[in-house]
Short mmCIF file of all heavy atoms in Angstrom, two decimals:
data_model
loop_
_atom_site.label_atom_id
_atom_site.label_comp_id
_atom_site.label_asym_id
_atom_site.label_seq_id
_atom_site.Cartn_x
_atom_site.Cartn_y
_atom_site.Cartn_z
N ARG A 87 -18.80 -39.60 81.32
CA ARG A 87 -18.87 -40.27 80.04
C ARG A 87 -20.32 -40.67 79.74
O ARG A 87 -21.15 -40.81 80.65
CB ARG A 87 -18.01 -41.54 80.01
CG ARG A 87 -18.43 -42.61 81.04
CD ARG A 87 -17.63 -43.88 80.88
NE ARG A 87 -18.16 -44.93 81.71
CZ ARG A 87 -17.75 -45.25 82.93
NH1 ARG A 87 -16.76 -44.53 83.46
NH2 ARG A 87 -18.30 -46.24 83.61
N GLY A 88 -20.61 -40.84 78.46
CA GLY A 88 -21.90 -41.37 78.04
C GLY A 88 -23.06 -40.48 78.42
O GLY A 88 -23.01 -39.24 78.35
N ARG A 89 -24.16 -41.12 78.85
CA ARG A 89 -25.35 -40.40 79.31
C ARG A 89 -25.12 -39.97 80.74
O ARG A 89 -25.01 -40.80 81.64
CB ARG A 89 -26.58 -41.30 79.19
CG ARG A 89 -27.89 -40.54 79.38
CD ARG A 89 -29.09 -41.47 79.36
NE ARG A 89 -30.32 -40.70 79.26
CZ ARG A 89 -31.51 -41.17 79.62
NH1 ARG A 89 -31.64 -42.38 80.07
NH2 ARG A 89 -32.57 -40.39 79.50
N THR A 90 -25.06 -38.67 80.96
CA THR A 90 -24.67 -38.12 82.26
C THR A 90 -25.81 -37.31 82.87
O THR A 90 -26.47 -36.53 82.17
CB THR A 90 -23.44 -37.20 82.09
OG1 THR A 90 -22.33 -38.01 81.61
CG2 THR A 90 -23.03 -36.55 83.40
N VAL A 91 -26.03 -37.50 84.16
CA VAL A 91 -27.06 -36.81 84.91
C VAL A 91 -26.42 -36.14 86.11
O VAL A 91 -25.71 -36.79 86.90
CB VAL A 91 -28.17 -37.77 85.40
CG1 VAL A 91 -29.15 -37.04 86.32
CG2 VAL A 91 -28.89 -38.40 84.20
N GLU A 92 -26.61 -34.84 86.25
CA GLU A 92 -26.11 -34.11 87.42
C GLU A 92 -27.24 -33.84 88.38
O GLU A 92 -28.32 -33.40 87.97
CB GLU A 92 -25.45 -32.79 86.99
CG GLU A 92 -24.87 -32.05 88.19
CD GLU A 92 -24.21 -30.74 87.81
OE1 GLU A 92 -23.59 -30.67 86.73
OE2 GLU A 92 -24.33 -29.76 88.60
N LEU A 93 -27.00 -34.14 89.65
CA LEU A 93 -27.99 -33.88 90.70
C LEU A 93 -27.82 -32.46 91.25
O LEU A 93 -26.69 -32.00 91.45
CB LEU A 93 -27.78 -34.88 91.86
CG LEU A 93 -27.73 -36.36 91.49
CD1 LEU A 93 -27.61 -37.18 92.77
CD2 LEU A 93 -28.98 -36.79 90.74
N GLY A 94 -28.93 -31.77 91.49
CA GLY A 94 -28.87 -30.47 92.13
C GLY A 94 -27.87 -29.53 91.50
O GLY A 94 -26.92 -29.09 92.16
N SER A 95 -28.08 -29.18 90.25
CA SER A 95 -27.09 -28.43 89.50
C SER A 95 -26.93 -26.97 89.94
O SER A 95 -26.00 -26.29 89.50
CB SER A 95 -27.45 -28.46 88.02
OG SER A 95 -27.41 -29.79 87.53
N GLY A 96 -27.82 -26.47 90.80
CA GLY A 96 -27.69 -25.13 91.35
C GLY A 96 -27.67 -24.07 90.27
O GLY A 96 -28.50 -24.06 89.34
N THR A 97 -26.67 -23.19 90.31
CA THR A 97 -26.55 -22.11 89.34
C THR A 97 -25.74 -22.52 88.11
O THR A 97 -25.54 -21.69 87.20
CB THR A 97 -25.89 -20.87 89.97
OG1 THR A 97 -24.56 -21.22 90.38
CG2 THR A 97 -26.71 -20.38 91.16
N GLY A 98 -25.22 -23.75 88.07
CA GLY A 98 -24.52 -24.23 86.89
C GLY A 98 -23.01 -24.04 86.92
O GLY A 98 -22.39 -23.97 85.87
N LEU A 99 -22.41 -24.01 88.11
CA LEU A 99 -20.98 -23.84 88.18
C LEU A 99 -20.19 -24.96 87.54
O LEU A 99 -19.02 -24.79 87.15
CB LEU A 99 -20.53 -23.68 89.65
CG LEU A 99 -20.95 -22.38 90.32
CD1 LEU A 99 -20.58 -22.41 91.81
CD2 LEU A 99 -20.31 -21.16 89.65
N ASN A 100 -20.78 -26.13 87.40
CA ASN A 100 -20.09 -27.27 86.78
C ASN A 100 -20.08 -27.25 85.26
O ASN A 100 -19.32 -27.96 84.62
CB ASN A 100 -20.74 -28.60 87.21
CG ASN A 100 -20.37 -28.97 88.64
OD1 ASN A 100 -19.37 -28.54 89.16
ND2 ASN A 100 -21.20 -29.81 89.24
N LEU A 101 -20.95 -26.45 84.67
CA LEU A 101 -21.21 -26.58 83.22
C LEU A 101 -19.96 -26.53 82.35
O LEU A 101 -19.81 -27.31 81.43
CB LEU A 101 -22.18 -25.48 82.78
CG LEU A 101 -23.67 -25.83 82.76
CD1 LEU A 101 -24.49 -24.61 82.37
CD2 LEU A 101 -23.93 -26.96 81.78
N ARG A 102 -19.07 -25.61 82.63
CA ARG A 102 -17.91 -25.40 81.75
C ARG A 102 -16.92 -26.54 81.77
O ARG A 102 -16.03 -26.62 80.94
CB ARG A 102 -17.20 -24.11 82.14
CG ARG A 102 -16.49 -24.18 83.48
CD ARG A 102 -15.72 -22.90 83.79
NE ARG A 102 -16.62 -21.80 84.05
CZ ARG A 102 -16.21 -20.56 84.31
NH1 ARG A 102 -14.93 -20.30 84.36
NH2 ARG A 102 -17.07 -19.61 84.52
#
Side-chain angles (χ1 to χ4, degrees):
R87 62 174 188 265
R89 191 184 192 201
T90 298
V91 174
E92 183 179 323
L93 308 182
S95 298
T97 63
L99 289 175
N100 284 338
L101 266 176
R102 69 176 69 181

